[in-house]
Amino acid sequence: MILYYIKLAFRGLFKNKTYSFLIIGGFSFGFTACILIGLFYFTEKNVNSGFANHKQIYRLYDLKKNTCNIYHDLNPVLADGYSDIINTCPMDFFNGFTFMVKDELANVSTILDNVISTNNNFFEIFSVSVVESLGSLPFDGKESVVITEAVAQRLYKGGRAIGQTIAIDNYYAIFRGKVTAVIKDLPENSTFKAEIIMNSDNEDFRLSRTCKDNKCYYPTKHYIQLSESTDTEAFTSLLNSSLNLNQFDLEQLALQAFDDIYLSKLTMKDMHFKGNIKLLNIFLTVGILILILSSINYLNYTISMKYAKLKSIGINITNGAGWRQLVAASFTEVSVGIIISVILSLFLTSFILPFSGILFGKAIYPEQSLIFQLTPVLLIVILIVILLNGFAPFYLLSRFNVTDFISGTRKKKGKYFGKHVMLIFQLTTSIALIAMVVGVGKQLDFVKRSDLGFDKELLVRIDIPNDFTKTDALREEVNKIPVVSKTAYSNGCPGKIGLRMGSNTGEDEFILNCITIGDNYLETMGIELITGRRFLSGDIDNVCLINEAAVKRYGFDNIEGKRYTNGKEGGYQIIGVIKNFHINSLYNEIEPVVLIYNPDVASSMLSVKLVHGNNEENITMLRHVWEQFLPDAAMNYTFYDEQFQAMYRKDDKMVKSIAFFSLVAIILTCMGILAQIFLTSLDRTKEIGIRKINGAGISEILMLLNRDFIICIIIAFLIATPIAYYSLNKWLQSYAYRTGLSWWIFTLAGIFALFIAILTVSWQSWRAATRNPVEALRYE
């Protein structure tokens, strides 16, 4: 009997090829989108799960100061004093700062972005696989460095890396060490990467330093591996009660789970790669809506087909078919369609997955654990869809008697209400998604075009090797290039701050971002001096400028006689106030900045202001000058506007992905509308025929059929607008600087929804309106 039902199901699918294609194709399309979004969502939620001990690893942070930068000296205290701690390590991770790595003896070099400073415990806590080592431990001596297989290949092309001496130049300082181990690359789906790892037992290899009261410390991040039975709340209380917090400039310690770092709501500053939990939730919402829309469409088409076969069902009942047989046939028909759709979805998913990096801005690697998490969810969804589409049509048909079936009469009561509810839901979804995509795009456009407080256009930063001495000669030659307007040296710049120091204001201590600058820096960067004077020749290493945010934080009414008392004995005289400018993305508020005037040491970055012309040609001219002075070193350069655009690259890609999947949802809505108008036309075939015989024109028939849809669109717009407004407003809270939610965003969404709905409805309405009325009435 089952085989017979399957045969009937396939016969029904082939009999209605157009609508079968819409049913199966539409559901396959929607379900593929759901699988891809599900894979991406679970991938984002499982960042750092590739480390064997990830569930036991925690990071310490100061709850009240909202910082995870804690003095390095805390590490030995943690290692020796607590039985719950299996292992502990300091770890300073630098990303986004370019490091030039050279083997001067072998005359080879490469540029890296990811450097870690830590100790030997790091390799145990994070289960790092060591390929080859000089001794029993990865670090064998204080001058040790560890590199990955990929870096070893880039430097030595398959030759032996162990025992080689390399120089690591971050344009602030040069670290020289011996390669004592080669490791496997860290898991791809993690919040940090490592290309070179330096031994932090050597103070010279520590990447961060801060100074307070003319004494300098080494802040770092502390990671601990706790035993599985540890009560984290009790352990946190023990830490706060047993440690001398003042000794480490702490107020209240707390633990952050390693697994929570990627999507954390905490606003602590670090260089770990971060996700956007709000955008991810939007993604998940879009996926759920696509699934609901796909299911509604399938249900609409299923009900439409059942109504189209009323006479056939009536004849089967007359011939003795019971409801059990009818339901079994219906379930078989629905199951066959769903299973075909799912199989097509799996093929589509496997085809699209290799391009997931383009679609999501991040490649998806469907690991076994990920598939195990997602598969039960998908199976439950499939079962629910089958049950819904199997039972719902027969629930509606159960209200008919045999004469209704034989005559093909359709009861309107209740059916139209359910139809309108589903239609309004679909239209509400589309309008809300359109509004949200437009609103999110408007915000990203706002942050990209916002005034950063300095002139980023045609402004290039060139990184200078730390051991290069002919800086003045290089700048002179660069200034001779016709397209170069201005140049200036600095240590640090907007988007790349390498030094932060305290304010030395006692209990009201705060951090200032320090940039050491040379001559002509304000003019080159286009930074406005609000009050005070410019630098004089006798000011070298004696004076500084602070921005408006620093003035506000200090609480100064004026700067007369004021000093920044850090960095050296006696500090620096404050001679002026500059306009605020951004050093980070617009996620963050503008922070206090101090510009210290010292041309003698400001030499790690050369900022070049170009006049006009083709950027490629301009860079070629700069490179020509560069090669005269540094023929063996690659010129590492960045346009400031591109550097700040890159801060939003991940969000930009994610928004484009959301827009793409929102388009999928809109297409599914159109298919749902098509199903609704098909069912409406089917219900009103005789009415249309009678009206046409009585003289009704095509335009009147079109208005008759489209009127209900227009009303539904208006209702959907009224529901969708506050939902979209609330959601967008919540998402915008993650930005310190944000655009307004203009009325036209929601109006545009409503007009667009109206346009696509009328366009979709009119196709089927036209067919119904132009049909020969004799065809509808010849059997009456």
Side-chain angles (χ1 to χ4, degrees):
M1 186 62 74
I2 293 296
L3 291 176
Y4 174 71
Y5 290 150
I6 294 173
K7 182 179 177 181
L8 286 178
F10 276 104
R11 184 185 296 171
L13 291 174
F14 284 114
K15 183 179 179 181
N16 301 285
K17 292 184 180 66
T18 301
Y19 292 106
S20 296
F21 172 77
L22 289 173
I23 290 171
I24 294 174
F27 192 82
S28 299
F29 193 41
F31 202 64
T32 300
C34 292
I35 293 174
L36 290 169
I37 290 174
L39 285 170
F40 178 71
Y41 180 82
F42 279 100
T43 298
E44 291 286 275
K45 294 291 283 187
N46 284 277
V47 171
N48 287 336
S49 63
F51 296 97
N53 304 316
H54 66 99
K55 291 184 178 179
Q56 297 170 254
I57 300 173
Y58 295 84
R59 181 171 70 177
L60 294 176
Y61 70 98
D62 191 320
L63 181 64
K64 291 189 176 179
K65 290 187 175 182
N66 192 37
T67 180
C68 54
N69 291 309
I70 299 172
Y71 294 167
H72 192 282
D73 296 342
L74 177 63
N75 183 66
V77 178
L78 295 172
D80 297 332
Y82 300 92
S83 58
D84 286 315
I85 298 179
I86 298 174
N87 219 334
T88 177
C89 74
M91 184 180 76
D92 218 3
F93 167 56
F94 264 53
N95 160 260
F97 283 72
T98 303
F99 291 80
M100 172 73 76
V101 179
K102 298 179 286 187
D103 185 326
E104 294 167 343
L105 194 61
N107 195 29
V108 293
S109 66
T110 187
I111 292 176
L112 307 177
D113 294 313
N114 304 292
V115 175
I116 286 176
S117 174
T118 184
N119 62 19
N120 272 313
N121 292 344
F122 167 85
F123 302 96
E124 295 180 14
I125 293 174
F126 293 96
S127 308
V128 179
S129 299
V130 179
V131 178
E132 184 181 11
S133 63
L134 195 62
S136 58
L137 295 173
F139 289 137
D140 188 14
K142 288 192 173 183
E143 308 297 323
S144 297
V145 296
V146 174
I147 63 177
T148 62
E149 281 185 306
V151 174
Q153 179 63 30
R154 282 155 63 182
L155 282 173
Y156 301 107
K157 313 298 181 187
R160 183 173 170 81
I162 297 295
Q164 304 293 338
T165 299
I166 59 175
I168 307 163
D169 185 350
N170 75 339
Y171 307 99
Y172 286 99
I174 294 181
F175 310 97
R176 284 185 169 85
K178 181 194 292 185
V179 178
T180 57
V182 176
I183 61 171
K184 292 278 189 184
D185 291 338
L186 297 182
E188 186 68 28
N189 194 30
S190 59
T191 56
F192 66 91
K193 299 183 184 301
E195 292 170 295
I196 285 190
I197 304 176
M198 302 191 299
N199 190 354
S200 65
D201 289 342
N202 183 346
E203 286 190 3
D204 293 335
F205 280 7
R206 295 175 187 175
L207 297 173
S208 299
R209 189 176 73 165
T210 187
C211 300
K212 180 181 179 182
D213 298 326
N214 297 316
K215 185 177 180 180
C216 292
Y217 305 88
Y218 299 96
T220 188
K221 287 76 180 173
H222 293 269
Y223 291 82
I224 58 175
Q225 179 186 348
L226 298 177
S227 60
E228 293 183 6
S229 59
T230 300
D231 182 332
T232 54
E233 290 187 8
F235 178 73
T236 303
S237 298
L238 175 63
L239 280 178
N240 283 299
S241 61
S242 60
L243 282 173
N244 182 358
L245 298 180
N246 290 331
Q247 178 186 349
F248 305 104
D249 195 26
L250 296 170
E251 293 189 19
Q252 183 180 345
L253 278 175
L255 298 181
Q256 181 183 31
F258 182 49
D259 286 346
D260 295 342
I261 291 176
Y262 184 68
L263 294 173
S264 174
K265 293 181 180 179
L266 298 176
T267 56
M268 295 182 299
K269 285 188 177 180
D270 61 31
M271 292 192 181
H272 280 261
F273 304 114
K274 298 292 178 64
N276 189 322
I277 186 63
K278 291 185 178 180
L279 278 181
L280 187 61
N281 286 335
I282 292 174
F283 238 121
L284 180 63
T285 302
V286 171
I288 293 171
L289 290 174
I290 287 175
L291 179 62
I292 294 172
L293 292 174
S294 300
S295 301
I296 289 175
N297 287 350
Y298 205 102
L299 182 61
N300 273 332
Y301 280 116
T302 303
I303 293 173
S304 298
M305 291 300 102
K306 284 290 181 288
Y307 275 117
K309 296 191 294 185
L310 278 179
K311 288 185 180 179
S312 175
I313 294 171
I315 292 170
N316 288 335
I317 293 174
T318 303
N319 290 332
W323 281 103
R324 180 178 294 180
Q325 287 81 12
L326 294 174
V327 170
S330 176
F331 266 103
T332 304
E333 184 178 0
V334 169
S335 299
V336 167
I338 295 293
I339 290 169
I340 293 173
S341 299
V342 171
I343 292 171
L344 286 174
S345 298
L346 294 175
F347 276 112
L348 282 171
T349 301
S350 62
F351 175 76
I352 296 172
L353 266 181
F355 307 99
S356 59
I358 299 172
L359 188 60
F360 295 103
K362 176 180 183 177
I364 297 175
Y365 303 96
E367 299 172 355
Q368 192 174 21
S369 59
L370 186 64
I371 294 172
F372 282 157
Q373 291 182 58
L374 188 59
T375 300
V377 177
L378 294 179
L379 289 176
I380 291 171
V381 166
I382 292 168
L383 181 62
I384 291 172
V385 172
I386 290 174
L387 290 173
L388 180 65
N389 284 274
F391 276 121
F394 276 91
Y395 167 75
L396 296 174
L397 297 179
S398 65
R399 297 175 302 163
F400 291 75
N401 55 43
V402 176
T403 57
D404 290 331
F405 283 120
I406 299 299
S407 64
T409 303
R410 300 172 183 86
K411 296 180 180 179
K412 296 182 179 180
K413 186 177 179 180
K415 176 169 67 68
Y416 280 170
F417 175 76
K419 181 186 73 172
H420 288 153
V421 168
M422 288 192 291
L423 180 60
I424 290 170
F425 174 81
Q426 290 177 303
L427 291 169
T428 300
T429 299
S430 293
I431 294 169
L433 287 176
I434 294 168
M436 290 179 69
V437 168
V438 173
V440 171
K442 185 171 181 281
Q443 170 63 17
L444 285 181
D445 185 67
F446 169 78
V447 297
K448 289 177 184 178
R449 296 176 182 273
S450 290
D451 180 14
L452 297 178
F454 67 94
D455 187 5
K456 67 180 185 297
E457 302 301 326
L458 295 172
L459 188 63
V460 184
R461 187 197 77 227
I462 302 174
D463 295 328
I464 309 297
N466 189 262
D467 56 357
F468 179 65
T469 56
K470 299 180 180 179
T471 52
D472 291 337
L474 174 63
R475 184 185 173 202
E476 285 178 16
E477 289 301 313
V478 169
N479 281 329
K480 292 178 183 178
I481 299 173
V483 295
V484 172
S485 170
K486 305 178 187 72
T487 61
Y489 277 115
S490 67
N491 291 345
C493 68
K496 193 173 180 180
I497 301 296
L499 177 64
R500 293 178 174 87
M501 295 193 294
S503 60
N504 277 353
T505 50
E507 293 183 0
D508 193 27
E509 176 85 4
F510 61 94
I511 297 296
L512 288 97
N513 298 275
C514 305
I515 302 176
T516 305
I517 63 173
D519 295 320
N520 210 36
Y521 187 77
L522 296 185
E523 293 79 3
T524 302
M525 299 296 292
I527 297 173
E528 181 183 345
L529 179 65
I530 299 174
T531 60
R533 65 173 177 84
R534 296 185 181 274
F535 302 115
L536 304 174
S537 58
D539 287 335
I540 294 176
D541 201 30
N542 288 316
V543 302
C544 67
L545 301 172
I546 60 175
N547 68 346
E548 295 169 290
V551 172
K552 182 178 180 181
R553 196 71 176 80
Y554 271 118
F556 292 157
D557 293 325
N558 59 72
I559 59 169
E560 186 177 349
K562 301 297 191 297
R563 301 185 69 84
Y564 172 51
T565 56
N566 208 339
K568 69 167 192 173
E569 188 70 32
Y572 301 90
Q573 180 186 351
I574 301 172
I575 63 168
V577 177
I578 54 174
K579 184 180 178 181
N580 280 336
F581 62 92
H582 289 272
I583 58 172
N584 298 309
S585 72
L586 270 73
Y587 285 116
N588 310 109
E589 293 185 358
I590 289 177
E591 300 175 1
V593 175
V594 56
L595 303 184
I596 299 171
Y597 180 62
N598 192 348
D600 294 340
V601 299
S603 60
S604 65
M605 301 170 187
L606 178 63
S607 295
V608 180
K609 182 68 175 179
L610 302 174
V611 179
H612 57 73
N614 183 286
N615 282 342
E616 290 186 12
E617 293 176 359
N618 294 342
I619 293 299
T620 300
M621 287 187 276
L622 287 169
R623 187 175 281 114
H624 178 71
V625 173
W626 176 272
E627 290 172 352
Q628 295 175 25
F629 292 87
L630 292 156
D632 297 326
M635 186 179 82
N636 189 52
Y637 69 92
T638 303
F639 281 90
Y640 278 88
D641 57 348
E642 293 178 356
Q643 175 181 306
F644 273 82
Q645 295 284 337
M647 295 178 182
Y648 312 104
R649 188 171 295 149
K650 183 171 182 179
D651 281 1
D652 203 20
K653 289 181 178 179
M654 214 165 176
V655 168
K656 288 177 181 176
S657 300
I658 291 172
F660 171 78
F661 286 109
S662 296
L663 179 61
V664 171
I666 292 167
I667 292 171
L668 291 171
T669 298
C670 291
M671 295 175 69
I673 293 171
L674 193 62
Q676 293 274 21
I677 190 63
F678 171 74
L679 185 57
T680 300
S681 302
L682 192 67
D683 284 345
R684 308 180 77 166
T685 299
K686 295 181 181 62
E687 179 187 348
I688 293 169
I690 293 169
R691 285 179 180 272
K692 289 191 70 175
I693 288 173
N694 289 328
I698 292 176
S699 60
E700 293 175 291
I701 301 299
L702 286 175
M703 181 57 68
L704 174 71
L705 294 174
N706 292 356
R707 182 179 57 204
D708 287 347
F709 288 92
I710 294 172
I711 293 172
C712 287
I713 291 169
I714 294 171
I715 295 172
F717 175 76
L718 295 175
I719 297 172
T721 297
I723 294 173
Y725 181 88
Y726 174 80
S727 302
L728 278 171
N729 192 53
K730 288 288 287 183
W731 177 74
L732 286 171
Q733 301 306 313
S734 60
Y735 286 87
Y737 303 90
R738 43 190 176 265
T739 185
L741 292 177
S742 306
W743 62 268
W744 62 262
I745 295 175
F746 309 99
T747 304
L748 178 66
I751 292 172
F752 185 71
L754 177 64
F755 173 76
I756 60 173
I758 294 300
L759 193 66
T760 304
V761 167
S762 296
W763 176 72
Q764 180 65 27
S765 298
W766 178 266
R767 289 183 61 193
T770 55
R771 187 182 178 190
N772 189 340
V774 174
E775 293 180 21
L777 301 174
R778 60 184 170 182
Y779 297 113
E780 298 303 313

